[in-house]
Amino acid sequence: MGLLTNRVERNEIKPGDHIYTYRAVFAYSHHGIFVGGSKVVHFRPERNLDSSIDTSSNLLDPTFPQSTCPTFPDCGFRQPNSGVVLSCLDCFLRNGSLYCFEYGVTPSVFLAKVRGGTCTTASSDPLETVIQRAMYLLQNGFGNYDIFENNCEDFALYCKTGLLILDNQGIGRSGQASSMIGAPLAALLSSPLKLLMPNPVGVATVTAGMYCMTRYATDIGIRTDVIKVAVEDLAVNLGWAGRHDEAAEGNEASNRQVVALSHDLYFFCMRIKQ
């Protein structure tokens, strides 16, 4: 990977790598964790999955429509009400180029990469740990998707580092979100300088510097308000525990109703035989 681009070939990535591809003519990037076997675990808004094939019940219902992926029948697998999806690499890329996110870069390299969402100064955990987190979240979910606070890059960053922000006040871990906030903020803060700097080059230089420093200050490897959280404790730290308990109670109530119905049906059949 070079300084200007993180583009790689398929044979260069390994299980546990954080990969991404660009969508909508480089307007934004979509991130995921490569888990091997040409499979990627990634996080998407649930509303974008409504038209997708949900293969989570394929094994239970042989009449359920199979995945439209021509290569892997389990491509598109996800749990109900979860945005974490298992896709094949081809479906993840959608004919786009493949890029590999960099970890443990120096501050100079981080600032040299003008576009956010390509690297971080934070170090990656062992690849086996990364894969284990991704597969655990595939089964248990990653909460509600939010473009600023909980997006696909946030998912991949957590899988790679296990880091969470202690008090999320509107911006998550992702470099893309930082860039979206940083650019307008830098322009806003530098606008009064136009009165002091008649030279537009000087104003542009100051604006670019503010943008880069905003990105750097919000990088997960620099922030001091982050903690390491085990994937098994993620629901408690992100406030999902209450919702999970409610869902569990709902499932338990449904199970009790099924048992009661079966019990009544059994005795009804016994009376008919008599």
Side-chain angles (χ1 to χ4, degrees):
M1 292 183 289
L3 184 61
L4 298 179
T5 178
N6 291 350
R7 185 171 177 176
V8 295
E9 299 298 328
R10 297 192 181 203
N11 59 1
E12 296 182 82
I13 59 175
K14 54 188 178 298
D17 276 347
H18 173 173
I19 61 174
Y20 62 98
T21 187
Y22 287 102
R23 300 268 198 261
V25 196
F26 292 90
Y28 67 97
S29 56
H30 184 56
H31 298 245
I33 298 296
F34 180 66
V35 294
S38 295
K39 300 290 181 64
V40 183
V41 178
H42 55 117
F43 186 45
R44 297 173 55 190
E46 289 182 46
R47 63 179 180 276
N48 290 348
L49 298 168
D50 292 341
S51 60
S52 300
I53 297 298
D54 182 0
T55 61
S56 59
S57 57
N58 285 359
L59 297 178
L60 300 177
D61 184 3
T63 65
F64 193 91
Q66 297 298 304
S67 170
T68 57
C69 176
T71 309
F72 298 98
D74 60 345
C75 180
F77 170 85
R78 68 182 179 97
Q79 295 291 357
N81 302 318
S82 172
V84 183
V85 188
L86 178 70
S87 299
C88 71
L89 189 56
D90 287 333
C91 292
F92 174 82
L93 293 176
R94 294 185 188 174
N95 297 320
S97 298
L98 175 63
Y99 299 82
C100 191
F101 199 96
E102 289 187 273
Y103 285 81
V105 302
T106 62
S108 58
V109 170
F110 181 89
L111 293 173
K113 292 180 179 289
V114 178
R115 183 157 189 165
T118 60
C119 63
T120 177
T121 59
S123 299
S124 171
D125 287 333
L127 298 180
E128 306 80 38
T129 304
V130 175
I131 297 172
Q132 187 265 332
R133 287 187 185 123
M135 298 308 293
Y136 182 92
L137 295 175
L138 177 63
Q139 296 297 327
N140 295 275
F142 194 63
N144 296 324
Y145 186 97
D146 186 282
I147 190 172
F148 290 113
E149 299 182 18
N150 200 43
N151 57 42
C152 60
E153 187 182 344
D154 291 321
F155 170 82
L157 283 167
Y158 172 75
C159 289
K160 289 288 286 186
T161 65
L163 296 176
L164 284 182
I165 298 173
L166 283 172
D167 187 14
N168 198 328
Q169 295 294 333
I171 187 167
R173 298 165 291 279
S174 80
Q176 284 190 99
S178 299
S179 296
M180 293 174 66
I181 297 295
L185 180 61
L188 179 64
L189 293 177
S190 62
S191 57
L193 297 176
K194 294 178 182 178
L195 302 176
L196 303 176
M197 289 185 179
N199 187 349
V201 176
V203 175
T205 302
V206 172
T207 302
M210 289 181 175
Y211 164 74
C212 291
M213 291 310 298
T214 300
R215 280 186 52 235
Y216 183 71
T218 55
D219 178 59
I220 195 170
I222 300 299
R223 300 177 66 147
T224 58
D225 59 342
V226 295
I227 56 172
K228 198 92 164 181
V229 177
V231 69
E232 296 81 6
D233 300 329
L234 196 60
V236 175
N237 281 271
L238 292 183
W240 307 337
R243 293 194 291 270
H244 286 182
D245 291 342
E246 291 175 2
E249 290 175 1
N251 291 337
E252 185 177 351
S254 299
N255 291 337
R256 286 197 297 267
Q257 291 177 354
V258 171
V259 171
L261 182 60
S262 300
H263 184 269
D264 294 340
L265 183 60
Y266 170 78
F267 283 103
F268 177 74
C269 294
M270 292 297 293
R271 283 198 297 270
I272 292 177
K273 287 183 180 180
Q274 293 174 356

